[in-house]
Amino acid sequence: MVELRLGQESVARTRKIVHVDMDAFYASIEQRDNPSYRGKPLVVGGSPNQRGVVAAASYEARKFGIHSAMPSVTAIAKCPGLIFVRPRFDVYREISAAIHAIFKRYTDLVEGVALDEAYLDVTENRQNITYASTIARHIKTAIFEETKLTATAGVSINKFLAKMASGQNKPNGLTVILPEQAIAFVEQLPIEKFHGIGEVTAAKMHSLGIHTGADLKMRSLTDLTHHFGKAGHYYYKIARAEDDRPVEANRVRKSIGAETSFAQDLSDVGQMLQELEQIAQVVEQRLEQHETRGRTLTLKVKFSDYHQITRSKTMLAPISKLSTIFEIAKALFELISLENRSIRLLGIALSNLDNAKQTQVIQLPLFQNAGIIF
């Protein structure tokens, strides 16, 4: 295996980033703890009889096109024999803490992205290991030995490339992107595989003739910001394999939320409210996952012409339950004059978080397949 060497004169200033992503974390824990679930399509989430939402899907379920944030009723239609398991976030948090303890054996620069995902900066590491890929292998081995769960790792020179590397060989894989390989790797990458480019944005890029990283690299910063706003700056940099974001340990989160970009603009109010309720369920799951509540709810609406508005309400007491989140979001939505306009995006976020574990706050995942992002 080609190794990414630490400490060489030629790359002394190059960061060495490891991205670790647990394989189907919630679902794998349930299959580990209940042998009768193993090898079967399973989702962790709410029941289809209660209009629930999928929090996680096993690899067996993913073969049917089932993914996170999908309505449970849609999931059961795709796989009638699907097993539904209620989330056990207390168990998931405990196992996540054990995995983070493994990370800390190598570096204090650990940034959680979710309970099942983290970036590690191992440019300098506690065990003075020469190769970043060796550290990744040691971590994967320790995770399996201590939790009986598998993880996939990516290693490269920045967070974007490490994230892309970890997606190349799942499950239980390890991929290294060397500095000299970075540009070529990005240029050949299909645009829909880019982290941070969801289904709707990818479709728009395709309409503009952007299909690969090489196509994206051909576009000027002015052109990209014209079509994609502030996100254009991010697209411009990653097309060149550039990402200067540091690994931020113990970063305090200011809000938790979810939003959905629709492949087809919505014009029916009833459908808009159904989508809003599904988003509220995702937000409730994320709040429970992180044992937190929020006092300020913000509703985000983007119209088909890309005009965007937000409406907020602050409560005296923090909230976290679906019924309250949806009730407030619905009330804010009903104050908006649609004027026969269609909607391309809806989102809900809670801020002013009431969280006793602020120093352990983790960024939530981006659900590209569902068009739900945070």
Side-chain angles (χ1 to χ4, degrees):
M1 175 183 294
V2 178
E3 303 280 5
L4 188 60
R5 185 176 180 84
L6 303 180
Q8 292 178 314
E9 286 295 322
S10 61
V11 293
R13 296 183 181 180
T14 301
R15 291 183 299 157
K16 308 301 179 288
I17 309 299
V18 178
H19 179 260
V20 180
D21 190 6
M22 298 301 297
D23 299 323
F25 188 51
Y26 300 168
S28 293
I29 290 172
E30 299 303 334
Q31 291 178 319
R32 180 198 71 174
D33 293 349
N34 189 330
S36 67
Y37 293 158
R38 295 173 190 171
K40 298 178 181 178
L42 173 148
V43 299
V44 175
S47 165
N49 297 328
Q50 299 174 341
R51 299 181 69 182
V53 176
V54 173
S58 70
Y59 283 103
E60 295 85 358
R62 294 180 190 187
K63 293 177 181 178
F64 291 88
I66 297 167
H67 54 74
S68 300
M70 173 179 285
S72 296
V73 66
T74 303
I76 196 70
K78 289 178 174 288
C79 178
L82 191 62
I83 299 170
F84 283 85
V85 180
R86 295 294 301 176
R88 297 185 295 157
F89 287 116
D90 55 338
V91 175
Y92 309 151
R93 285 189 292 266
E94 181 180 353
I95 297 173
S96 178
I99 292 169
H100 276 251
I102 294 172
F103 298 156
K104 292 298 182 69
R105 297 171 193 171
Y106 299 90
T107 177
D108 284 327
L109 292 178
V110 178
E111 179 182 335
V113 181
L115 293 181
D116 61 342
E117 184 181 356
Y119 293 100
L120 291 72
D121 188 328
V122 297
T123 309
E124 297 179 2
N125 65 90
R126 286 179 168 177
Q127 300 190 26
N128 295 317
I129 295 175
T130 304
Y131 299 107
S133 52
T134 300
I135 294 175
R137 284 200 301 272
H138 287 183
I139 287 172
K140 282 167 49 62
T141 298
I143 288 173
F144 184 74
E145 289 179 348
E146 297 175 34
T147 71
K148 303 305 177 187
L149 300 170
T150 63
T152 297
V155 180
S156 196
I157 57 176
N158 59 45
K159 290 167 75 172
F160 170 73
L161 288 172
K163 171 72 174 180
M164 291 294 91
S166 69
Q168 295 302 299
N169 190 25
K170 290 184 70 70
N172 199 24
L174 171 60
T175 301
V176 178
I177 301 175
L178 296 168
E180 59 268 26
Q181 298 170 332
I183 295 295
F185 173 83
V186 172
E187 287 182 345
Q188 58 81 37
L189 197 67
I191 207 67
E192 57 270 18
K193 298 293 185 181
F194 276 61
H195 176 57
I197 296 180
E199 181 180 351
V200 174
T201 300
K204 182 176 180 180
M205 287 190 174
H206 287 165
S207 72
L208 296 171
I210 302 173
H211 299 280
T212 67
D215 295 332
L216 185 62
K217 189 178 178 182
M218 293 287 291
R219 299 301 181 112
S220 68
L221 177 59
T222 300
D223 187 33
L224 291 175
T225 54
H226 170 72
H227 289 291
F228 303 103
K230 293 181 180 179
H233 291 272
Y234 173 73
Y235 302 149
Y236 182 83
K237 295 189 71 172
I238 61 175
R240 290 156 178 78
E242 298 173 4
D243 182 5
D244 55 7
R245 295 173 299 158
V247 172
E248 298 182 80
N250 299 326
R251 181 165 60 90
V252 175
R253 171 167 295 282
K254 296 181 180 180
S255 66
I256 285 178
E259 60 185 44
T260 303
S261 295
F262 307 111
Q264 294 184 337
D265 297 342
L266 304 183
S267 56
D268 179 75
V269 174
Q271 188 177 1
M272 295 174 191
L273 292 175
Q274 287 181 5
E275 295 289 349
L276 198 63
E277 185 176 14
Q278 297 289 349
I279 295 169
Q281 290 197 43
V282 175
V283 174
E284 180 193 42
Q285 287 180 349
R286 293 178 170 182
L287 291 167
E288 184 178 355
Q289 177 184 2
H290 295 288
E291 299 181 286
T292 190
R293 302 173 296 171
R295 289 182 171 83
T296 299
L297 186 147
T298 299
L299 172 71
K300 178 179 177 181
V301 178
K302 183 182 289 185
F303 296 100
S304 56
D305 60 0
Y306 284 86
H307 175 66
Q308 179 177 302
I309 62 173
T310 59
R311 296 290 184 268
S312 299
K313 181 177 177 61
T314 299
M315 282 64 68
L316 293 176
I319 65 170
S320 63
K321 297 301 181 184
L322 168 63
S323 58
T324 310
I325 295 169
F326 178 61
E327 178 184 355
I328 296 169
K330 181 173 180 287
L332 291 172
F333 179 80
E334 290 174 342
L335 293 175
I336 297 172
S337 177
L338 296 178
E339 299 175 345
N340 295 320
R341 290 185 292 178
S342 55
I343 288 176
R344 67 178 295 108
L345 178 147
L346 287 170
I348 299 171
L350 280 172
S351 54
N352 289 333
L353 299 180
D354 176 23
N355 186 356
K357 299 184 178 181
Q358 282 292 305
T359 59
Q360 299 179 8
V361 178
I362 336 178
Q363 182 177 344
L364 292 159
L366 176 129
F367 298 112
Q368 290 189 3
N369 292 337
I372 296 182
I373 61 174
F374 178 73

